[in-house]
C-alpha cells in the first residue's frame, strides 16, 4: 500500500499515528488561539513569545541538573519556558505603557534580548557534562518524530484548555480586537483582555515547543488565522475555521513526513499550512484573488454597458470595441453598432433614470439616500414606486430613442 495512505489512515505504526494525532491537536489549538492575536494586529507578539521561551528551557535544565534531577524532564522544561515567556509578555506590555516606545519596538527588543540570552545559556549548557547530550537545541526546530505519549497528552490538555478559553471569551476579546476604545467605554478591562489573548498564545507556544519548535510555532499560530480570514467575516466562525486549517495542516504534514522519513515533520507541517493559505488566497469565494478579479470584470462590464446605453440614448456613435461587444452579446446593438429595439428601450430607460436621479436630488436633501447613486444601482432599489411615480410626473412623458 502507498506509504502516505498508510500514514493518513494511521496504519504506519504507533509512533507515526501518535505524531499525526498530536500534530492535529496542536494545529487546531494554535489556529484557534492565534485568531484574536491576528485580528488585534499583534501577530509579531507570538514571535516574541516563542523566542522568549528559549532562556527558560536552558535555565530549567540547569536548575534541574543542579538539584540532581533529570535535566530533560519535559514538565520542568515547559515550566521554565512558560516562566520566561510570561516575563517577556509582561515586558512587551509594560514598555509601551510606561515609556514612549511603541509596541513594535518592545516586541523587537524582547525578541532579540531573550533569544540572545537563550543562545548564551544553551552554550553554557553544552559545557556541562550532563548537557552535551541534552538535545535542547531540538527546541529550536522541534523533534516531532520523537513524540511520546506524555507529549501528546500535554498537547491535548493544554490545547483543549486554550480553545475552550478562546471560545468562552470570544465576545469581549472580539470587541477589544476590533475597537479597544469602545470596549473600554463599555467597562471592559482592555489590558487584562490583551494579556489573556497573549496568555493563550503563550500556552499554545509552550505545549507546541517539542513538536514544531519555537521558530515554527509562530507560523502555526498565525497562518491558519490568516487563511480563515479569507473564508469568513465572523469572528466566531473564524475560530473554528482557523482551528480546522491548523488541524488539517498538522495531520497532513505529519502523514507526509511519515511517508518520507528523511523530511523533518515541523517544517512540512508549516509548508502544508502555507499551501492551504495559497489555495485560499486564490480560490476563496469572497476574498480570494479569483473572486476579486471576477468582481472587477463584472463591474467593468456594468460600467461599459451603462455608458454604451447612454451613448445610444444621446445618439452618439460607440467607438469602444469592448462596449460594442458587450451590447451586441446582450442583443442591444447589431454588429455594425445600430441599436436594436431592445437596445433602444434599454437606452431610454437608462437615460430616464439619470433624469429621475436629478429630480430625486432636488426633492430629497438626505445625502445618505441620494448619495447612494453610483450610476449602476437601479433607482427601484432605492426609492419606492410612489416616489418614482412622482419623479415621472415632474419629468413628463418618456421619450423614445430614435433608430438608424
Amino acid at each position: 500500500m502507498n506509504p502516505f495512505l498508510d500514514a493518513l489512515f494511521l496504519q504506519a505504526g504507533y509512533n507515526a499515528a501518535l505524531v499525526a494525532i498530536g500534530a492535529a491537536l496542536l494545529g487546531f489549538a494554535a489556529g484557534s488561539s492565534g485568531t484574536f492575536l491576528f485580528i488585534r494586529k499583534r501577530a509579531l507578539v507570538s514571535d516574541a513569545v516563542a523566542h522568549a521561551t528559549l532562556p527558560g528551557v536552558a535555565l530549567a535544565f540547569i536548575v534541574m541538573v543542579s538539584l540532581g534531577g533529570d535535566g530533560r524532564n519535559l514538565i520542568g522544561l515547559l515550566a521554565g519556558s512558560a516562566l520566561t515567556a510570561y516575563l517577556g509578555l509582561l515586558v512587551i506590555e509594560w514598555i509601551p505603557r510606561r515609556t514612549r516606545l511603541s509596541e513594535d519596538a518592545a516586541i523587537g527588543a524582547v525578541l532579540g534580548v531573550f533569544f540572545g540570552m537563550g543562545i548564551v545559556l544553551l552554550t553554557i549548557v553544552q559545557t556541562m557534562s550532563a548537557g552535551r547530550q541534552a538535545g535542547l537545541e531540538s527546541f529550536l526546530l522541534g523533534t516531532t518524530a520523537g513524540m511520546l505519549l506524555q507529549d501528546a497528552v500535554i498537547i491535548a490538555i493544554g490545547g483543549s484548555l486554550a480553545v475552550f478559553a478562546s471560545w468562552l471569551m470570544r465576545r469581549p476579546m472580539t470587541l477589544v480586537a476590533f475597537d479597544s476604545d469602545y470596549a473600554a467605554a463599555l467597562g471592559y478591562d482592555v489590558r487584562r483582555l490583551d494579556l489573556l489573548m497573549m496568555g493563550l498564545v503563550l500556552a499554545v507556544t509552550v505545549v507546541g515547543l517539542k513538536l514544531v519548535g519555537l521558530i515554527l510555532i509562530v507560523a502555526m499560530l498565525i497562518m491558519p488565522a490568516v487563511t480563515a480570514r479569507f473564508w469568513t467575516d465572523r469572528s466566531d466562525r473564524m475560530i473554528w475555521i482557523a482551528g480546522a486549517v491548523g488541524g488539517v495542516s498538522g495531520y497532513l504534514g505529519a502523514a507526509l513526513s511519515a511517508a518520507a522519513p528523511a523530511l523533518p515533520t515541523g517544517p512540512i507541517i508549516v509548508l502544508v499550512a502555507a499551501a492551504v493559505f495559497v489555495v485560499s488566497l486564490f480560490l476563496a469565494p469572497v476574498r480570494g484573488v479569483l473572486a476579486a478579479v471576477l468582481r472587477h470584470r463584472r463591474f467593468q462590464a456594468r460600467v461599459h454597458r451603462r455608458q454604451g446605453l447612454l451613448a445610444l440614448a444621446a445618439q452618439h456613435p460607440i467607438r469602444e470595441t469592448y462596449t460594442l461587444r458587450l451590447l451586441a452579446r446582450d442583443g442591444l446593438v447589431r454588429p455594425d453598432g445600430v441599436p436594436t429595439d431592445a437596445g433602444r428601450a434599454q437606452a431610454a430607460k437608462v437615460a430616464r433614470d439619470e433624469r429621475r436621479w436629478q429630480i430625486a436630488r432636488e426633492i430629497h436633501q438626505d445625502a445618505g439616500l441620494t448619495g447612494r447613486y453610483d450610476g449602476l444601482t437601479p433607482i427601484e432599489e432605492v426609492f419606492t414606486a410612489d416616489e418614482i411615480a412622482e419623479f415621472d410626473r415632474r419629468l413628463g412623458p418618456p421619450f423614445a430613442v430614435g433608430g438608424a
Side-chain angles (χ1 to χ4, degrees), residues 353-361 370 373 379 382-383:
D353 282 350
E354 287 287 307
R355 299 176 63 199
R356 285 170 170 172
W357 276 107
Q358 292 176 4
I359 298 297
R361 283 191 287 269
T370 59
Y373 175 65
I379 195 169
V382 181
F383 297 100

Side-chain angles (χ1 to χ4, degrees), residues 296-309 312 318-335 337 340 343 346 376:
H296 176 73
R297 289 182 65 86
R298 286 194 293 267
F299 175 78
Q300 186 182 40
R302 291 174 65 195
V303 171
H304 277 266
R305 186 177 188 276
R306 173 180 173 275
Q307 293 301 110
L309 289 173
L312 291 181
I318 301 175
R319 305 189 187 281
E320 174 63 46
T321 305
Y322 181 58
T323 304
L324 278 173
R325 189 165 66 248
L326 283 175
L327 296 179
R329 184 195 64 186
D330 294 339
L332 302 178
V333 298
R334 300 201 307 247
T340 63
Q346 287 288 321
L376 301 176

Side-chain angles (χ1 to χ4, degrees), residues 53 98 113 117 136 148 202 221 227 246 248 254 256 260 266 296 313 329 332 334 338 369 376 404:
T53 60
R98 296 293 185 181
V113 171
M117 187 187 305
L136 297 187
L148 303 175
L202 184 153
L221 283 163
T227 302
V248 169
L256 286 170
H296 176 73
R329 184 195 64 186
L332 302 178
R334 300 201 307 247
V338 176
L369 187 65
L376 301 176

